[in-house]
Amino acid sequence: MRALRVLLVLVVIFGGLFVAADRLAVNLAEDKAAEKLRASRGLDRTPEVSIKGFPFLTQVAGRSLDEVEAKLGSVEARAEGHTLRIDQMSAQFQDVKLTSDYGSIEGAASATATARITYADLTKASGRNVKVSYAGEKDGRSQVKITPNVPFLDSLTVTGSITVENGNTVRLRADELPVVCRALPGCQAKVRAETDHDWKLDQLPGNLKLDKVTTQADGISISASGKDVKLTG
C-alpha cells in the first residue's frame, strides 16, 4: 500500500509538471504566432492568439493543432480617400498544420471570421456629413438609410443596400432615387457620389473571403470563410 501511495504521489507530481510545461509551451507559441500574424498582415496592434485543445505538446508532436483563434481587433478598409473602420474582427482556424521545423504555422484546412461595422463608422467613411443608419432587411437584403448632403435637397433620404463583392469589398449602394432627383440635371450623379462606395478590405488573414453581410439595429455584421488558409506570411 505504501508503494502504491508513493506511486500515486509521483504520478500527481509529474502530471502537474507536465501540465505546467504544456501551458508554458502553448503561451510561448501563442505569443510567437501573434507577432508573426501582426507582421504579415500589417496590423497596428499585436492580435490575441489562442491555441485550443489539450495537451498542446502532443498536438505539436503530430504537427497539427486542433484550433487556433485570432482576435485581430480593428482593421481598416479604404476607398476614394475615405477609411472605413471594421471592428471586433476575429478568426477561427481549424486543423492547423505546423512547418516541418515546428517553428511556424503553415496553414489551416478551414477558417471562419466575423467582424462588426458601426453606423457611426459607416457615416464617417461616407464623407461630407452623409448619415447612414439602420433600415432593416427587405426580401433577404440588408438595408440602410442614407441621408446625403446635397444642396437644395436637405430632406432627401434614400434606402441603400450593403453587400460584399469579390470576396474582399464592402459595398454601399443607394437603391432607386426619388423622382424629384431624377428630374434635376446632375442630381443623380451628385447623390450617388455621396451614397455609393466600395471599401476594399485587404487585411484578411490568408485567403479568407467575405461572404455575408447583415444589418442589425446597432451595426453591420460581416462574415468570411475559406479553405486551405494561410495563417501567417
Side-chain angles (χ1 to χ4, degrees):
M1 290 296 295
R2 181 178 180 183
L4 180 59
R5 287 197 296 270
V6 171
L7 178 61
L8 289 175
V9 170
L10 290 175
V11 168
V12 171
I13 292 174
F14 283 112
L17 291 175
F18 174 79
V19 171
D22 190 83
R23 293 302 87 192
L24 177 60
V26 75
N27 289 337
L28 292 173
E30 289 170 346
D31 291 343
K32 185 174 181 180
E35 182 55 35
K36 286 195 172 184
L37 183 58
R38 183 201 63 77
S40 66
R41 307 317 305 169
L43 303 175
D44 294 333
R45 298 176 59 185
T46 302
E48 296 179 23
V49 173
S50 177
I51 299 175
K52 308 296 184 180
F54 178 82
F56 168 69
L57 292 175
T58 57
Q59 295 183 68
V60 171
R63 288 179 50 201
S64 179
L65 306 178
D66 295 338
E67 182 180 351
V68 175
E69 181 179 14
K71 295 182 179 180
L72 306 178
S74 299
V75 297
E76 295 180 343
R78 298 175 177 83
E80 304 161 359
H82 301 302
T83 299
L84 174 62
R85 181 175 181 267
I86 299 176
D87 199 16
Q88 299 178 27
M89 176 167 283
S90 64
Q92 295 76 40
F93 302 84
Q94 290 78 37
D95 191 11
V96 178
K97 303 300 181 184
L98 302 177
T99 56
S100 58
D101 63 357
Y102 304 96
S104 183
I105 291 175
E106 192 171 71
S110 63
T112 57
T114 58
R116 299 278 296 169
I117 306 173
T118 67
Y119 292 113
D121 285 329
L122 272 173
T123 295
K124 183 178 179 180
S126 298
R128 301 182 185 178
N129 297 318
V130 176
K131 183 179 180 181
V132 183
S133 56
Y134 179 61
E137 292 196 15
K138 181 179 180 181
D139 299 328
R141 289 191 307 159
S142 294
Q143 294 188 309
V144 293
K145 187 186 300 181
I146 311 172
T147 305
N149 183 19
V150 179
F152 310 112
L153 291 174
D154 295 339
S155 60
L156 177 64
T157 296
V158 298
T159 300
S161 300
I162 297 281
T163 59
V164 292
E165 304 293 332
N166 303 319
N168 64 356
T169 301
V170 178
R171 173 170 291 176
L172 173 63
R173 288 289 184 272
D175 295 333
E176 186 176 2
L177 300 182
V179 175
V180 63
C181 186
R182 297 200 300 269
L184 296 175
C187 181
Q188 292 192 65
K190 290 182 178 179
V191 171
R192 290 202 173 276
E194 299 196 2
T195 61
D196 295 4
H197 303 282
D198 286 346
W199 293 283
K200 186 175 181 180
L201 180 58
D202 56 8
Q203 292 178 305
L204 288 171
N207 56 333
L208 286 183
K209 302 296 182 183
L210 298 175
D211 52 27
K212 185 178 181 181
V213 58
T214 305
T215 56
Q216 299 173 339
D218 58 349
I220 308 297
S221 176
I222 59 176
S223 61
S225 61
K227 301 290 185 181
D228 299 322
V229 177
K230 190 175 182 181
L231 179 54
T232 58

